[in-house]
């Protein structure tokens, strides 16, 4: 296991990040992340591990819609039609992260961490994930919406980060 004395991040997050790096290193894969509601937490966890640079290619924190559109080339029509917290936007974010990096796989996270911003259709704790792989069939969309419930802002962000890391594991299905 990892020495957790030199990090402020939860041990379960660091342990999962280490597994992601180890398994992707063994598979010869480089990874990228596009984050919204987690605000860089996944990138922070991955870079807490010494030697992560041989696996972790890039991280994009695109918190606002304009950043998603400008940096990851998510279509403004997709954002307007489906909303920021949607499978369509998460999928476009993952594709954008893949296109903007040299990574073999990219995961995107977008959601509502709270305490505000929820609605009846998308309550606080709603998080959407997507994974894109270089060279995959363009019809293969790997995405899912999870309802974590109102775990508090930190709780939602932690659970979202853990799910995103799980999606970065070689051979992982949508959790």
């Amino acid at each position: 296991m990892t020495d957790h004395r030199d990090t402020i991040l939860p041990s379960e997050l660091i342990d999962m990040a280490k597994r992601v790096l180890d398994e992707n290193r063994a598979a010869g894969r480089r990874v990228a992340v596009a984050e919204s509601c987690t605000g860089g937490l996944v990138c922070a966890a991955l870079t807490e591990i010494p030697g992560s640079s041989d696996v972790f290619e890039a991280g994009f924190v695109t918190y606002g819609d304009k950043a998603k559109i400008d940096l990851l080339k998510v279509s403004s029509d997709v954002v307007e039609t489906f909303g920021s917290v949607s499978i369509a936007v998460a999928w476009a974010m993952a594709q954008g992260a893949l296109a903007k990096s040299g990574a073999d796989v990219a995961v995107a996270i977008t959601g509502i961490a709270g305490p505000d911003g929820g609605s009846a259709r998308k309550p606080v704790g709603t998080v959407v994930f997507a994974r894109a792989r270089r060279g995959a069939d363009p019809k293969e969309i790997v995405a899912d919406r999870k309802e974590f419930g109102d775990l508090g802002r930190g709780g939602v962000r932690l659970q979202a980060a853990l799910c995103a890391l799980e999606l970065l594991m070689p051979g992982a299905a949508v959790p």
Side-chain angles (χ1 to χ4, degrees):
M1 283 297 158
T2 305
D3 181 357
H4 298 289
R5 293 174 295 180
D6 194 29
T7 182
I8 60 169
L9 298 175
S11 61
E12 63 186 314
L13 191 61
I14 297 301
D15 290 343
M16 186 64 182
K18 185 171 182 343
R19 281 186 51 220
V20 165
L21 292 168
D22 289 347
E23 293 197 25
N24 279 287
R25 186 177 291 116
R29 294 191 337 170
R30 293 189 58 78
V31 303
V33 180
E35 298 184 68
S36 184
C37 67
T38 48
L41 187 57
V42 177
C43 295
L46 289 167
T47 58
E48 279 290 290
I49 311 300
S52 60
S53 61
D54 66 338
V55 175
F56 182 57
E57 176 73 25
F60 303 87
V61 179
T62 54
Y63 205 69
D65 291 346
K66 186 170 179 356
K68 291 173 182 66
I69 294 163
D70 292 349
L71 298 175
L72 296 176
K73 304 303 180 203
V74 175
S75 163
S76 59
D77 289 342
V78 169
V79 174
E80 289 169 21
T81 302
F82 299 102
S84 299
V85 181
S86 64
I87 285 179
V89 167
W91 176 242
M93 288 171 65
Q95 290 290 342
L98 205 58
K100 293 283 186 176
S101 73
D104 301 299
V105 62
V107 167
I109 312 111
T110 183
I112 305 162
D116 303 318
S119 67
R121 284 187 57 236
K122 295 177 186 175
V124 169
T126 301
V127 183
V128 182
F129 304 88
R131 180 183 65 221
R133 286 184 307 111
R134 191 167 304 284
D137 182 334
K139 294 177 186 165
E140 175 196 311
I141 296 177
V142 179
D144 193 24
R145 173 179 158 156
K146 286 196 157 297
E147 303 285 343
F148 293 112
D150 190 353
L151 304 173
R153 188 171 180 79
V156 170
R157 293 177 74 219
L158 175 59
Q159 291 308 310
L162 289 167
C163 279
L165 286 168
E166 184 66 39
L167 270 176
L168 283 171
M169 296 292 279
V174 174

